[in-house]
Amino acid sequence: MKLANTIIIGLATATLLILGCSAKPSVSEESLGLRKSDLYTESNATRGDQTKYGTSVAGSGHKIPRAFQDAPPMIPHDTEGMLPITIDNNQCVSCHMPEVASSMGATPVPASHLTNFRPVTALSKDGQLTANGAVVTNTSSEKQEDISIKSTDGKLSNARFNCSACHAPQSEGIAVENNFKPVFTSKDGANKSSWNGAKMLEGLNTAEGK
Ligand code: HEC
Ligand code: HEC
């Protein structure tokens, strides 16, 4: 009796499997993705919004409002021939370093770009990680004593060399609308940086400061 039951269940499962395999697919290709056309068509409808970077030349006076207080401003001018930035070719500095900026009509890099925030990290003889000579467990500490805030004496901090890591040219054609409305903490925050002096210490954990 037990064996017969097992055989019946086995047969039923096999029938279901065969039926399942021969059933027509119920999901159409057109409904699979967001593009609403089959996977073999490349028409304008499937290409989406094109990226159109601004072409206004540097010096035209065009500025793009900041996304939030002290956000890296977007590049408002054409960057044709300037990117990618390489060790031998960084045209950005030839207009934006403070010593040349005013003669080029450009905004000089702010104080933060002339500051070294990186502590001197090293391994001690017994294999412990040190920052500015003191033993630390990791180098991403937010404690003030583990952070170095040193002027680079007017030289661009190496951490800021690759401008396009933070500053991007803006493109037209909105893929996804941005509904974020910034509240600026300084009056001219939409087009000016305020992050310098004592402000650079804000948010650092100084409670345990030594
Ligand atoms: C030929 C000079 C020149 C070069 C080269 C240049 N810029 Fe500019 N940049 C300007 C000027 C002038 C402005 C001010 C706005 C304007 O008049 O277009 C400006 C504005 C900006 C701003 C906006 C500042 C703000 O407060 O809104 C950013 C960011 C910027 N440039 C980044 C860059 C980066 C990054 C590069 C290199 C890829 C670069 N620039 C290369 C001249 C230059
Ligand atoms: C690690 C990210 C980062 C890099 C790299 C970087 N910037 Fe910035 N930049 C910022 C941020 C954030 C701000 C706004 C806050 C501030 O002033 O520090 C800013 C502000 C600026 C401003 C506006 C200054 C003002 O007073 O309104 C200019 C111009 C600028 N950067 C140019 C450059 C240029 C040119 C380079 C490359 C030589 C560069 N930045 C590299 C993050 C960066």
Side-chain angles (χ1 to χ4, degrees):
M1 203 48 201
K2 240 184 169 182
L3 183 66
N5 272 347
T6 315
I7 291 171
I8 289 168
I9 290 169
L11 277 175
T13 315
T15 320
L16 275 177
L17 275 177
I18 290 163
L19 279 177
C21 289
S22 61
K24 288 223 165 108
S26 56
V27 178
S28 71
E29 276 188 23
E30 287 78 1
S31 68
L32 277 176
L34 292 171
R35 43 196 264 161
K36 303 295 165 245
S37 64
D38 69 68
L39 296 173
Y40 309 104
T41 311
E42 280 302 341
S43 66
N44 276 339
T46 58
R47 262 184 226 130
D49 290 331
Q50 305 283 310
T51 306
K52 281 185 239 119
Y53 288 112
T55 51
S56 69
V57 283
S60 62
H62 176 218
K63 276 204 176 194
I64 299 163
R66 308 269 170 110
F68 49 86
Q69 183 70 47
D70 292 326
M74 304 212 69
I75 307 171
H77 54 72
D78 204 350
T79 54
E80 186 71 35
M82 298 180 193
L83 300 174
I85 292 166
T86 67
I87 194 141
D88 306 313
N89 185 14
N90 186 345
Q91 297 176 43
C92 319
V93 293
S94 62
C95 288
H96 284 284
M97 282 306 282
E99 56 273 21
V100 287
S102 63
S103 65
M104 303 306 288
T107 319
V109 295
S112 60
H113 295 33
L114 308 170
T115 304
N116 184 3
F117 293 91
R118 293 177 172 173
V120 182
T121 53
L123 274 186
S124 67
K125 274 199 199 106
D126 53 355
Q128 283 182 303
L129 192 59
T130 64
N132 293 336
V135 174
V136 289
T137 42
N138 71 65
T139 52
S140 314
S141 163
E142 284 175 9
K143 284 194 237 149
Q144 193 182 345
E145 69 269 23
D146 295 340
I147 291 179
S148 178
I149 305 186
K150 281 199 207 92
S151 157
T152 51
D153 294 326
K155 285 202 226 87
L156 185 70
S157 157
N158 288 341
R160 306 285 180 161
F161 185 81
N162 190 11
C163 320
S164 56
C166 306
H167 299 279
Q170 194 169 45
S171 84
E172 284 169 28
I174 299 171
V176 180
E177 202 176 339
N178 181 4
N179 294 321
F180 178 75
K181 296 267 180 302
V183 176
F184 294 103
T185 48
S186 78
K187 214 166 50 194
D188 47 7
N191 46 46
K192 245 188 155 120
S193 285
S194 65
W195 202 58
N196 53 39
K199 246 196 157 187
M200 287 184 186
L201 300 175
E202 265 175 23
L204 295 178
N205 179 2
T206 54
E208 305 166 38
K210 284 174 197 156

